[in-house]
Amino acid sequence: MTDSQAREKIRVSTDGTAGPYIMVPLAQLKRVRDLLDKNQVPYWVESDAVSVDGKPAIAFINLGASADANEVQALLNSAA
């Protein structure tokens, strides 16, 4: 799946200690959530989206410490 703003593949980030997460443009949040739901991937979405320098808002999807980041990345890569 491609980020509609950055025009790059959406990536699962693994930096930090809370577990993997995904940063996605707010406009694509529903599509990513639908993909995760369809594949029964547990997650939660941060309550606030972040906008920097007037750019469109970005939502953070937390996958939790037990998530398999590689598996979720494969799902995102396979989505058209």
Side-chain angles (χ1 to χ4, degrees):
M1 188 177 299
T2 302
D3 180 318
S4 61
Q5 289 175 221
R7 306 279 188 243
E8 297 175 357
K9 288 189 181 258
I10 294 174
R11 298 274 178 216
V12 177
S13 297
T14 56
D15 57 338
T17 58
Y21 63 93
I22 304 167
M23 296 182 347
V24 61
L26 198 53
Q28 287 180 278
L29 179 59
K30 181 180 180 339
R31 186 168 177 223
V32 174
R33 289 182 71 179
D34 288 347
L35 177 68
L36 297 174
D37 289 343
K38 178 182 174 185
N39 290 280
Q40 300 177 336
V41 175
Y43 67 91
W44 69 96
V45 179
E46 293 288 332
S47 58
D48 296 320
V50 177
S51 176
V52 178
D53 295 330
K55 294 180 181 174
I58 299 292
F60 288 82
I61 303 170
N62 295 293
L63 302 172
S66 64
D68 183 336
N70 292 325
E71 182 179 308
V72 176
Q73 186 64 62
L75 291 172
L76 289 169
N77 292 347
S78 69

